[in-house]
Amino acid sequence: MKFSLISKISEQSRLRLVIAAAVSLSGCATFPDWLSASGPSREQVQEKRDTARIEGIQLVDVNDTLARKLAESKKLGQFADVFPSAGSNNYLIGPGDIVEVSVWEAPPAMLFGAVVLDPKAGPTTTRVVTFPEQMVTPDGMINMPFAGRVSVNGRTTHEIETDIVKRLQGKANQPQVLVRVIKNNTSNVTVVGEVNGSTLMPLTPKGERLLDAIAAGGGVKQQVNRMAIQLSRDNVTATMALDSIIRDPRQNILLKPGDVVTALHQPQSFSVLGATGKNEEIPFEAQGVSLAQALARSGGLNDHRADARGVFVFRFEDAKLVEAKGPVAKSPDGKIPVVYQIDLRDPASLFVTQNFPVQNRDVIYVSNAPAVEFQKFLRLVVSVAVPSYGLIRALD
């Protein structure tokens, strides 16, 4: 019996020696770098920052103030704010337009009542005179009998009619004037981009709006939530998501002559890696998504693997948004590599993620929890120790 007890103690000692030998295998590499993993742990990311092993990459803790600052900087300008109201009548006559002028006189007609000057109609007795169509000259003028050269450039038809009536006062008997645009060659809006048919849309006194231009181009080719609209006016250009314009009637602004409306397809996406429900590239809408939405679309954090303190967003950020600490690396386009860290163990961070904007080509990474790495290590130890212990017993 005494020999059996000694034998059991000896076997336990041997098992301890085998386990100790397995543990000593970790000496060939720094723990846990030698274990298989889908990416760095939270400690490893922080170690890179603290020891400057990757020079120039900034590690930034995300709080509510930073999230709001980034959200404001990424926010697209709203058309209603960028472009002032153009008024209700956007049609202005300009050089190259073809117009027609008609004049009525109250009886007895003193100036235009005897003959119609329109060669298509032929001579007849009437109180209305329709003058031949004429093109507005390069200096913005038209010729009007008994009224002389009339400036029409940049004026509405009503303004021109009022001017001609004033010029005919005392010459014609209570004149009434009608100015009609036969062909609009100047007050147009250019519609290009991802529309079914690029077009030059003429403006009318009705007052065409932004969505009218998209409709004139035959609508967009891609899904509405993947489209953005760029509007260029004079020296100002702004962009908005199409679905935002549709939802907010204030952004469906009046157009002005010379505007250029461009429909842009924006196939934006972010990549999700690490301890999440799924690892893949996920497309998102032109209006953007928050980090909370991005994590939800990836299936959320894996409850069995994820380190909630180790949620990272890898991004090349605009230099003006980064308060750099130490040396700074820059990409060829002048952007700075930044790693944003979010601690989801903090309940307040769930509000922060709703304000933190995800941008195109972001990489969202969730590290494994330390306990998961330790379990991997233990499984490896057991897989080495048990066969070794069996081999030792067989040799005995």
Side-chain angles (χ1 to χ4, degrees), residues 67 70-72 74 289-291 315 353 355-359 362:
L70 293 176
E72 186 64 28
K74 308 296 181 182
V289 295
S290 67
L291 180 58
R315 172 185 301 172
T353 57
N355 293 323
F356 187 90
V358 171
Q359 69 181 40
D362 274 357

Side-chain angles (χ1 to χ4, degrees), residues 65-78:
T65 301
L66 176 62
R68 291 179 183 275
K69 175 184 175 182
L70 293 176
E72 186 64 28
S73 66
K74 308 296 181 182
K75 185 179 179 181
L76 297 177
Q78 295 190 325

Side-chain angles (χ1 to χ4, degrees), residues 32 38-46 273-277 291 295 300-314 340-346 349-350 353 364-376:
S38 59
S41 65
R42 177 175 59 88
E43 290 80 5
Q44 287 175 314
V45 174
Q46 292 175 336
L273 303 173
T276 59
L291 180 58
L295 289 173
L301 274 60
N302 187 318
D303 192 47
H304 301 290
R305 292 177 49 203
D307 181 356
R309 298 172 299 170
V311 178
F312 302 97
V313 178
F314 292 75
Y340 292 109
Q341 179 178 356
I342 300 93
D343 180 4
L344 289 184
R345 284 284 188 181
D346 181 2
S349 65
L350 296 176
T353 57
I364 300 174
Y365 173 72
V366 180
S367 62
N368 283 342
V372 174
E373 303 300 327
F374 185 63
Q375 288 173 359
K376 287 182 184 179

